[in-house]
Amino acid sequence: MTDVLMSPVTPQAAEDDTLMARVAARDAAAFRALIEAHAGKAHRIGWRMLGDVVEAEDVAQEAMLKLWEQADKWQAGGAGVGAWLNRVATNLCLDRLRRRRFSSDEDVPERVDETPLADARIDADWMRNRAMQAVQALPDRQRAAIVLTYYEECSNLAAAEILNLNIKAFESLLLRARQALKSGLGDVRLARQGGAA
């Protein structure tokens, strides 16, 4: 297991290296510590890319299982478990999205909010849902670029490495994703204004 990012070793990465050495020796307590520290990141990537809580949980569990299974291949001195999980979770999501295209024509079910909210809250929720739908409508790799950059706050370089792209190719991909989102959200705003009239 190679650590993809070649950034300086942070205190978290050094702690991860220590825990990974223990996990390689099959120390369950060390693995639980890694799960507590990092599984949430894999889950967030899964939810934002797939739009489904259950699938996000599956992605997080699968990513952590891969970490357990490949612990003996861990190379200390890299960017840490978080960076490794970014790549693994993103790739698992991209795989699921590819399979989804070939195996299902079903739309993602809409969530119903049954609690009454103030107008401002309703509008904010409406826009947030439309933004998530716009992200979900992006092609897979554009969606990954948006999720990694804006939701997981990866640098362009880190996100490029996760997606196996050079920095120029990643920035071009991110630019296309932003343009598609802007266009999609512009249409949504116009539809909302037209619906309110």
Side-chain angles (χ1 to χ4, degrees):
M1 175 187 313
T2 58
D3 203 351
V4 285
L5 303 176
M6 297 304 192
S7 55
V9 178
T10 64
Q12 179 65 54
E15 182 180 337
D16 288 349
D17 289 342
T18 302
L19 289 171
M20 285 303 294
R22 290 173 49 198
V23 171
R26 295 305 185 230
D27 181 335
F31 188 58
R32 274 192 299 278
L34 285 171
I35 289 171
E36 289 173 12
H38 298 290
K41 175 181 285 285
H43 187 272
R44 286 191 309 273
I45 289 172
W47 185 82
R48 289 179 175 132
M49 286 189 65
L50 302 171
D52 183 286
V53 174
V54 174
E55 278 198 279
E57 289 170 6
D58 290 346
V59 164
Q61 288 176 7
E62 193 173 341
M64 295 309 292
L65 180 61
K66 284 181 182 286
L67 188 68
W68 173 262
E69 290 172 344
Q70 298 179 17
D72 60 333
K73 299 175 186 166
W74 184 260
Q75 294 181 357
V81 170
W84 185 86
L85 279 174
N86 277 344
R87 167 172 254 162
V88 170
T90 300
N91 287 335
L92 288 170
C93 290
L94 289 172
D95 289 345
R96 284 173 180 264
L97 289 167
R98 283 184 209 110
R99 282 194 307 261
R100 201 186 267 178
R101 252 195 315 267
F102 295 109
S103 65
S104 175
D105 292 332
E106 290 184 35
D107 291 333
V108 176
E110 292 186 38
R111 288 185 9 209
V112 177
D113 186 2
E114 298 175 4
T115 58
L117 301 171
D119 286 350
R121 180 73 187 252
I122 290 170
D123 287 343
D125 287 347
W126 187 89
M127 195 60 197
R128 188 173 23 262
N129 288 338
R130 293 313 173 266
M132 189 59 175
Q133 288 175 356
V135 170
Q136 294 291 314
L138 291 173
D140 299 347
R141 292 179 70 78
Q142 288 183 14
R143 184 183 319 174
I146 292 292
V147 167
L148 291 171
T149 303
Y150 293 103
Y151 291 98
E152 292 305 315
E153 299 177 357
C154 291
S155 68
N156 284 2
L157 180 60
E161 289 175 352
I162 289 167
L163 292 172
N164 288 325
L165 297 171
N166 66 45
I167 191 69
K168 287 257 188 220
F170 175 78
E171 288 173 349
S172 176
L173 176 70
L174 186 59
L175 178 63
R176 289 191 311 274
R178 285 183 193 145
Q179 289 170 338
L181 275 178
K182 183 177 179 182
S183 174
L185 290 174
D187 293 345
V188 165
R189 285 190 187 108
L190 288 174
R192 179 68 169 169
Q193 290 169 351

